[in-house]
Amino acid sequence: MSESALFNTYASYPITLVKGKGSRVWDDKGKEYLDFMSGLAVANLGHAPDSVKDALVAQLDQLWHVSNLFGNPNKEKAAKLLVENSCADAVFFCNSGAEANEAAIKLARRYQQKVKGVDRYEVITFKQSFHGRTLATLTATGQDKVKEGFQPLPEGFRYDIPLHDIPALEAAINEHTAAIMLELVQAEGGVIPVDPQFLLDVRALCDRHGLLLIIDEIQTGMGRTGKLFAYQHYDVEPDIITLAKGIASGLPVGAMLAKGDVVNGFVPGAHATTFGGTPLAMAAVIATIETFLKDNVVARAEEAGEYLIAQLQEKLAGVPIVDQIRGKGLIIGILCKEPVAELVSELHRRGLLVVTAGPNVIRLLPSLIVTHEEIDTAVNQIAALLTEQAAVNSVSP
């Protein structure tokens, strides 16, 4: 029996973090780390941003929780901020990215069946995608490893379509297809950005066949790619958008947004949540979004992302184990020619927190307020380690 009372569901790193501020965190032994994980794209404003902290402290003296059967000014204000800064017309708040994607799948099915009056329920997704850990969202995920031991999987999903393969996608569409769902950067799948023409073609397919386009912005939303939402890089508007991670600076909040007639797919009783949209959580959402807008955080993230990629390209040029640097904004992957798990652990030991994205990719997710000095520090550490590893490889028998 393990000493921990927790389920053994995480292969955790041997580090216990107890404090964070900005782009820095500290462990229980007092060691300082430069955080290029941001809680997996959650702490987009850095750790413990003052504006969000102040809003939470003020709300703690007011009201923490109220049933969704009553009015909630904070929830209304948070939804209005999202609608005003996106193509959406309505918002459903929940508690996580998986719940947001679950809501999107339910809305797509119900809209097709109850509003359009057609027998459509199937959702098409792509290989290497990641959409969550509920039974529906892990089925939608295009990675076999998350499905092991959970059979039988729910019906109504196609998740074997290669990304950027329009003929395969079109061939998968049938009379029961309700929606196509995709990430604009496959984060867990290796930090793979979607080609702009592919997204245009997907939108055209949806329009031609009467399908909904769902954009999973759980990891790419809230400024991560250099736009408030990743779809804003493209000349395409989705029908449904899902958000979580960076939307509330660390509080557990998810959101599902929809536009136009699709909003009518949900009516009272069709979908609900106990904890989604509480006054306390919405105070964090409001403060996070208002800080983004007031401090021009998204533009800063775009510039910082360009600088980070340029520095990586310069410092890693000619390092033989590096195959490619890819990404968008401040979600960046370093594709290597060998597994990177031990390299990631070594960077942790040297004081830089990064994470993998598949076996051969080092994923960088710094806060959106990261400075050039912090970027230089991180890039120099990565370059030094990968250069050392390449030298070791060259003398190995």
Side-chain angles (χ1 to χ4, degrees):
M1 175 71 72
S2 168
E3 292 183 5
S4 175
L6 296 170
F7 266 98
N8 185 27
T9 54
Y10 299 99
S12 301
Y13 297 116
I15 299 171
T16 299
L17 299 176
V18 296
K19 180 183 176 182
K21 190 64 180 176
S23 295
R24 306 279 172 168
V25 290
W26 290 263
D27 67 16
D28 56 348
K29 298 178 178 61
K31 182 175 179 178
E32 178 181 317
Y33 301 83
L34 179 57
D35 186 5
F36 267 50
M37 291 173 64
S38 302
L40 291 179
V42 169
N44 284 5
L45 292 177
H47 293 279
D50 291 337
S51 59
V52 181
K53 173 188 171 184
D54 292 345
L56 288 170
V57 169
Q59 188 62 43
L60 283 170
D61 286 331
Q62 302 299 319
L63 184 65
W64 295 14
H65 175 84
V66 64
S67 166
N68 283 305
L69 297 173
F70 296 93
N72 179 341
N74 278 8
K75 187 168 67 170
E76 292 284 354
K77 183 175 181 179
K80 186 175 182 182
L81 281 168
L82 287 171
V83 165
E84 288 176 344
N85 290 282
S86 72
C87 65
D89 296 304
V91 183
F92 177 87
F93 286 110
C94 49
N95 310 285
S96 68
E99 288 178 71
N101 283 339
E102 189 90 25
I105 292 165
K106 289 180 66 176
L107 178 62
R109 287 186 174 189
R110 201 173 192 284
Y111 171 76
Q112 296 283 12
Q113 295 173 35
K114 291 294 187 179
V115 177
K116 303 298 289 184
V118 292
D119 185 24
R120 293 176 178 254
Y121 53 84
E122 191 170 84
V123 176
I124 296 175
T125 59
F126 297 88
K127 288 182 179 180
Q128 292 304 114
S129 62
F130 185 87
H131 298 294
R133 296 282 188 170
T134 66
L135 276 175
T137 57
L138 73 83
T139 304
T141 292
Q143 300 182 43
D144 289 340
K145 65 181 181 181
V146 306
K147 308 175 198 290
E148 294 176 359
F150 297 115
Q151 284 75 13
L153 299 173
E155 295 181 359
F157 296 91
R158 283 289 306 272
Y159 42 81
D160 58 344
I161 309 303
L163 190 66
H164 297 136
D165 191 336
I166 284 294
L169 176 60
E170 187 159 21
I173 296 171
N174 60 55
E175 69 274 17
H176 297 302
T177 307
I180 297 172
M181 184 176 188
L182 78 162
E183 308 151 279
L184 296 183
V185 179
Q186 285 191 335
E188 303 292 334
V191 191
I192 304 169
V194 164
D195 179 75
Q197 185 59 52
F198 176 73
L199 187 60
L200 287 171
D201 292 341
V202 172
R203 177 74 268 182
L205 275 179
C206 288
D207 294 341
R208 186 158 68 248
H209 292 278
L211 314 181
L212 299 182
L213 176 59
I214 304 171
I215 300 297
D216 178 343
E217 296 251 18
I218 304 304
Q219 191 155 154
T220 59
M222 306 312 298
R224 176 55 54 183
T225 66
K227 300 287 186 185
L228 191 59
F229 306 104
Y231 82 83
Q232 292 170 336
H233 288 281
Y234 303 83
D235 188 23
V236 167
E237 289 188 353
D239 301 296
I240 300 173
I241 306 163
T242 55
L243 300 171
K245 291 192 179 290
I247 194 173
S249 297
L251 268 72
V253 175
M256 187 271 293
L257 290 65
K259 63 178 291 191
D261 190 44
V262 179
V263 170
N264 296 321
F266 276 175
V267 297
H271 193 55
T273 173
T274 295
F275 291 106
T278 64
L280 190 63
M282 295 300 97
V285 172
I286 293 166
T288 297
I289 297 174
E290 288 183 340
T291 301
F292 268 88
L293 300 175
K294 177 175 67 70
D295 292 350
N296 206 19
V297 170
V298 174
R300 290 173 59 187
E302 183 176 33
E303 187 278 332
E306 292 172 354
Y307 181 76
L308 175 52
I309 288 177
Q311 291 300 107
L312 287 168
Q313 290 172 335
E314 177 185 336
K315 297 295 177 63
L316 298 180
V319 177
I321 67 171
V322 176
D323 189 43
Q324 185 183 10
I325 297 164
R326 60 196 183 198
K328 190 177 289 290
L330 286 170
I331 176 170
I332 296 170
I334 304 169
L335 175 62
C336 296
K337 298 175 182 177
E338 61 185 65
V340 298
E342 182 51 41
L343 296 174
V344 165
S345 294
E346 178 58 27
L347 286 171
H348 292 181
R349 288 188 282 271
R350 298 183 184 194
L352 176 66
L353 299 186
V354 297
V355 66
T356 60
N360 286 26
V361 177
I362 300 171
R363 183 173 19 155
L364 308 181
L365 297 162
S367 76
L368 307 190
I369 61 167
V370 67
T371 65
H372 282 205
E373 181 182 7
E374 290 166 337
I375 289 172
D376 291 342
T377 298
V379 171
N380 287 337
Q381 288 179 310
I382 292 167
L385 177 60
L386 296 185
T387 300
E388 291 170 20
Q389 183 63 33
V392 170
N393 292 350
S394 69
V395 298
S396 297

